[in-house]
Structure formats: C-alpha cells, structure tokens
C-alpha cells in the first residue's frame, strides 16, 4: 500500500492510513486542536488523492484504533457481514464513491452492502464527497424502524419534542410537551433531558408523560435521557419506558468516560427488550457528536469524522429506533462556525444512513460559536432534503436548561410544508383527527399551536 503522491513535483508521504484519513478531512477546529489536520490545502488534496486509491479491504485491515486496544474495533470486525463485504471489498474509496452516486445504485443496493462496511469505510468515502454528494446518497437510503410508530418512510420527516425544564418541574415539562404536540411535533419521541439524574425522577417524568399521551391517544414514544444505569434502575421501579437512551463515543476509552462499555450496553438492550413498553421491535435511542472522543483525550490520534463513524458502528449493534447527532452542541473547539457545523451535519447524516441507521440530527449551536440563525435554518432545510429521519423541536428553538440554539416547534411544520414531507403515518392520522392539520387545504387546522387542545 503506497501512501504517497506527487503534486507539482513535490512528493507528499503519509505514515499511516489513520494520518491519511485525518488529513483528507475538510477543515475542522477539533482536528486542529488534536494536531491531526492537514497543514495546507495542498496537503489536504494530496491526502484525498492517496485515499481515493485505497481499497475498502485495506481500510478494514487498518482500523484507526488497533484491534488489540479497543473493544469496538474487535466488535466491528467480529460482526461484519462477510457476504456484503465481499461485494465491495476490492473497490477503491474513489470507485466506491462513484458507485454510491450512480443513478442505478438505489437505496436497496446500498442497504445490501451496509452490514459489510466498517465505520472507517463510511468515513473515508465521506471525505471525498461534496455537500451535495452527501445529500444525494443519504436521500436514497430509507431506514425504516418501528417502536410505537413507524419512522423513516419515504416522504416523511419526524421530530423529537424536547420539553426540558431546569428544575425537572413535571407540570412545566408536560405543558411544553402539549404545546409541541399541538404544533404537530413529537412523532419521533418525547425526549426529556433531566436536570436530576436519579431513578426516582426518571420514573416520575416517564409516568407523567405516559399518562398524558395515553389520555390523548398520541401515537409516539417517550424517553428520559438519564444515564443508562439510571434508566435500568427506573425500569426496576416499574415505570413505562418506550425507548432507552445513551450517549456513545467512538472508542473504548471514550465510552469509559461516559461510564459505559459493550457489556453494559448489551445488558441494557437485553433488559429493554424484556421490559420496555413500546411495541417494538426497535427500542434503543443513541446520541453522538463530532469531538466527543477528543474531549476526553480518547481519540488515539484519529480525526473526529472517523471517530464519529465509529459511534455508528457501535450503535448499529443494537438496531436502534433513533440515532441523533447533536451537531454543534459540544462547542466551537470542535466545530467553530456555520460552514463547519453544516458540513458536520451532512457528514454525520450520510455516514449513519450508509451504515444502516435511522439518522436524525439536532441542528444546533452553542452561543459562543460563529453561526447565525439564517445558517441554522438553512441546515435544517438541507437535512430535510437529504432525507433526515427527524429533527429536534423545542419552544422557540432556545433550550432554557442546556443553553443552546436548536429547532423550534414552528420550524418543523414549516420545513415539512416546504419540502412536501409529513410525519409518521400514525401521528399524521392523529393530527387530522385532533384538528391540528388540514391536509385537504394543506394548512394548519383549528387546534394548531393550541396547547389547551391537548388534555393535561
């Protein structure tokens, strides 16, 4: 394997595939912070030229975190679908890109090889693609999953209602949830980030949400995003739990910083399959974000796009109902401005879909990042056009507990209408029944935006 190329009579040599992957990446402040990014635009082009001639087999043989050091690397290697891998193994990354973009390569063909792709393969081809390339391929991939509702069907775009409250006041959470439902949001999940990470609080919030959803016949799922060990204890208390949540990292060390391991997640998944309250079969919910491994010094010298792809390799094991990349939440140390956050959102969505996951995105930024509202709204439209399974939804797009800017309750119906998208079929029917949306006239119904129309 030759990791060198000549440009304008200058030979550019790279020591490892890990270095090639990192230096082929578009500019990211996180890669600069880690000291792994290309030193110039010419070196970036050189890395991409080398990467384009690397085969998918060589990527499998050279994971960015060695087999003997990382349980995620071992898990991916041991569970890879050999038949699917054989279909693409001798393609170079450049050839794989061309195959994905071919008109004849539809979503079914892509899904047929997904289980044979390692995360490094998804990251590698991502680095050779433009933003439009990423959108074009992701839009082909429909990953359909089921809990209480059916997510990921063509022509559909869902949303998560995030009714956070800084003191976990249950009445405040419920009112915010009711408002979101009245705007036609929440068909993906009602997901609360708790201020108090305890089993009792988790059970109380879930029970209260469950009661309101049942009273109003709302077809959706609920989840409280406490630590997975806390949720397991809440299940032991007997509370309803449609989805079990956990944040993931792309390395074993990064997951240790999150307080999880492969064995723990296997245990949680098994427990959820036995005791979860959703009809299923998909019952897990994961969140990720570029830069998570670097933030805990667990990146092994790899770039943040490749490590993000490894999060998806981890998530794939558990056949999740939701995977959400929280694009700009970790901060400008990793994605510093609008172009970097936009690129990351399209990269993450593409890589997750390519690996067979039902990808949603929290299009967001923290207040010290250099991104504006117009850029954020543009990203939501780009993601919707690319077939993103769901976006977030919270009051005026401003999370009063987590202090960041995201998607508002108003944005979801606007993007759906603009792109001709609808919510899940089950939620769609409920909206019509409740007078929230009038599809005959393609306009809001009499109950649209009225929280009082949802019984407390």
């Amino acid at each position: 394997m030759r990791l060198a190329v000549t440009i304008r009579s200058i030979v550019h040599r790279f020591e490892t595939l890990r270095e090639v992957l990192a230096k082929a990446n578009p500019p990211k402040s996180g890669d600069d912070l880690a000291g792994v990014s290309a030193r110039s635009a010419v070196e970036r082009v050189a890395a991409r030229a080398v990467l384009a001639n690397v085969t998918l087999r060589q990527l499998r043989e050279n994971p960015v975190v060695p087999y003997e050091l990382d349980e995620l690397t071992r898990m991916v290697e041991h569970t890879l679908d050999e038949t699917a891998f054989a279909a693409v193994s001798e393609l170079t990354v450049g050839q794989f890109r061309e195959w994905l973009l071919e008109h004849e390569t539809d979503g079914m063909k892509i899904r047929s090889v997904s289980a044979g792709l390692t995360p490094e393969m998804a990251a590698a081809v991502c680095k050779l693609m433009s933003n439009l390339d990423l959108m074009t391929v992701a839009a082909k991939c429909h990953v359909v999953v089921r809990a209480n509702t059916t997510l990921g069907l063509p022509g559909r775009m869902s949303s998560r209602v995030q009714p956070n409250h800084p003191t976990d006041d249950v009445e405040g959470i419920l009112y915010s949830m009711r408002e979101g439902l009245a705007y036609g949001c929440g068909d993906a999940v009602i997901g609360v980030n708790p201020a108090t990470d305890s089993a009792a609080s988790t059970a109380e919030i879930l029970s209260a949400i469950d009661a309101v959803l049942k009273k109003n016949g709302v077809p959706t799922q609920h989840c409280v995003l406490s630590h997975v060990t806390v949720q397991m204890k809440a299940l032991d208390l007997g509370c309803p739990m449609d989805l079990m949540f956990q944040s993931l990292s792309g390395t074993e060390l990064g997951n240790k910083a999150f307080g999880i391991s492969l064995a723990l997640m296997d245990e949680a998944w098994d427990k959820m399959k036995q005791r979860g309250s959703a009809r299923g079969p998909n019952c897990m919910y994961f969140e990720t974000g570029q830069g998570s491994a670097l933030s805990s010094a667990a990146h092994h010298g790899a770039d943040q796009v490749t490590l993000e792809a490894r999060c998806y390799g981890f998530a794939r094991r558990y056949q999740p109902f939701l995977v959400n990349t929280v694009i700009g939440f970790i901060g400008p140390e990793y994605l510093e401005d609008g172009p970097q956050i936009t690129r990351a959102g399209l990269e993450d969505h593409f890589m997750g879909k390519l690996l067979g996951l039902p990808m949603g995105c929290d299009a967001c930024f923290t207040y010290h990042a250099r991104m504006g509202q117009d850029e954020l709204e543009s990203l939501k439209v780009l993601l919707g056009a690319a077939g993103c399974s769901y976006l977030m939804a919270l009051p005026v797009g401003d999370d009063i507990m987590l202090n960041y800017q995201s998607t508002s309750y108003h944005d979801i119906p606007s993007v759906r209408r603009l792109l001709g998208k609808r919510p899940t079929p089950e939620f769609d029917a409920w909206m019509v029944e409740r007078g929230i949306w009038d599809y005959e006239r393609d306009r809001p119904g009499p109950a649209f935006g009225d929280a009082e129309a949802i019984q407390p």
Side-chain angles (χ1 to χ4, degrees):
M1 181 170 55
R2 185 172 184 269
L3 303 181
V5 66
T6 301
I7 299 178
R8 295 175 180 171
S9 303
I10 297 175
V11 178
H12 296 264
R13 300 184 189 278
F14 304 93
E15 295 298 320
T16 63
L17 258 182
R18 181 173 60 191
E19 182 187 0
V20 172
L21 284 165
K23 291 186 174 179
N25 215 26
K28 298 285 173 66
S29 54
D31 291 340
D32 293 342
L33 181 65
V36 301
S37 57
R39 292 166 293 186
S40 68
V42 174
E43 187 178 39
R44 184 172 293 111
V45 169
R48 289 175 180 174
V50 170
L51 184 60
N53 290 305
V54 172
T55 68
L56 300 192
R57 182 178 298 280
Q58 289 168 330
L59 284 166
R60 180 180 181 178
E61 293 169 351
N62 295 272
V64 295
V65 187
Y67 178 93
E68 61 275 11
L69 296 181
D70 189 88
E71 65 176 3
L72 298 191
T73 301
R74 294 192 291 273
M75 182 271 291
V76 168
E77 175 60 28
H78 295 163
T79 59
L80 208 66
D81 185 314
E82 295 293 348
T83 300
F85 172 68
V88 293
S89 61
E90 301 311 317
L91 293 179
T92 65
V93 177
Q95 290 169 336
F96 186 46
R97 172 188 175 274
E98 294 302 313
W99 181 78
L100 289 171
L101 287 166
E102 283 176 4
H103 180 72
E104 295 76 14
T105 305
D106 59 15
M108 292 297 292
K109 287 184 178 179
I110 295 172
R111 288 300 305 276
S112 72
V113 303
S114 288
L117 302 177
T118 68
E120 282 82 354
M121 297 173 197
V125 73
C126 177
K127 297 166 192 291
L128 300 187
M129 289 185 154
S130 70
N131 285 4
L132 184 57
D133 291 342
L134 297 173
M135 294 172 63
T136 299
V137 176
K140 297 181 183 184
C141 303
H142 302 292
V143 182
V144 180
V145 288
R146 294 176 179 84
N148 293 324
T149 58
T150 308
L151 194 76
L153 291 166
R156 306 280 174 170
M157 190 189 81
S158 299
S159 66
R160 167 190 162 188
V161 163
Q162 183 172 289
N164 293 345
H165 193 281
T167 63
D168 281 348
D169 179 80
V170 173
E171 290 305 312
I173 289 170
L174 294 179
Y175 191 87
S176 181
M177 176 187 78
R178 289 164 56 211
E179 182 187 21
L181 290 169
Y183 279 106
C185 303
D187 55 321
V189 65
I190 310 298
V192 179
N193 296 88
T196 307
D197 201 22
S198 72
S201 175
T202 296
E204 179 187 15
I205 295 169
L206 281 169
S207 297
I209 291 172
D210 189 70
V212 173
L213 295 181
K214 282 186 166 59
K215 187 174 184 178
N216 290 276
V218 185
T220 188
Q221 299 70 222
H222 49 54
C223 180
V224 170
L225 286 69
S226 46
H227 192 269
V228 66
T229 54
V230 173
Q231 292 170 84
M232 292 166 73
K233 290 175 183 175
L235 271 180
D236 291 338
L237 296 175
C239 73
M241 186 181 296
D242 290 337
L243 301 177
M244 181 174 281
F245 165 83
Q246 182 54 46
S247 293
L248 302 181
S249 182
T251 69
E252 181 179 346
L253 283 177
N255 284 310
K256 283 181 180 178
F258 282 147
I260 63 170
S261 64
L262 193 62
L264 177 62
M265 294 311 303
D266 285 352
E267 180 186 351
W269 186 36
D270 187 59
K271 191 166 194 170
M272 194 61 184
K273 286 187 288 186
Q274 295 176 35
R275 300 193 190 180
S277 49
R279 290 190 294 272
N282 308 104
C283 60
M284 302 298 283
Y285 172 17
F286 299 118
E287 284 191 353
T288 67
Q290 288 190 28
S292 63
L294 176 58
S295 68
S296 56
H299 60 296
H300 293 273
D303 69 277
Q304 60 189 40
V305 171
T306 305
L307 293 177
E308 178 71 8
R310 286 170 59 90
C311 294
Y312 306 145
F314 189 13
R316 182 169 61 178
R317 178 180 181 87
Y318 303 104
Q319 302 164 31
F321 182 72
L322 302 174
V323 179
N324 178 41
T325 170
V326 191
I327 306 162
F329 183 72
I330 302 181
E333 300 87 349
Y334 309 99
L335 298 166
E336 70 174 337
D337 56 22
Q340 289 190 13
I341 291 171
T342 296
R343 173 70 188 188
L346 298 177
E347 287 169 340
D348 295 356
H349 179 245
F350 161 81
M351 293 189 297
K353 282 282 192 72
L354 183 59
L355 292 171
L357 294 174
M359 285 301 296
C361 293
D362 187 351
C364 64
F365 62 88
T366 56
Y367 295 115
H368 55 314
R370 289 190 285 115
M371 188 176 194
Q373 188 66 35
D374 287 342
E375 290 175 290
L376 188 62
E377 290 177 357
S378 296
L379 175 55
K380 296 165 194 175
V381 175
L382 292 175
L383 288 166
C388 188
S389 293
Y390 75 102
L391 296 171
M392 307 300 283
L394 50 148
V396 299
D398 187 7
D399 194 299
I400 59 173
M401 188 186 84
L402 296 176
N403 273 325
Y404 77 114
Q405 195 70 27
S406 184
T407 304
S408 77
Y409 291 155
H410 304 74
D411 292 337
I412 296 300
S414 297
V415 175
R416 281 180 181 149
R417 197 174 187 186
L418 178 67
L419 298 175
K421 304 271 188 174
R422 293 170 71 160
T424 65
E426 302 90 342
F427 198 84
D428 207 353
W430 177 81
M431 285 173 59
V432 172
E433 176 192 326
R434 287 297 177 120
I436 293 170
W437 199 263
D438 180 349
Y439 283 110
E440 288 186 8
R441 301 180 183 181
D442 189 28
R443 59 186 289 181
F448 182 79
D450 182 7
E452 299 302 321
I454 313 297
Q455 299 179 60

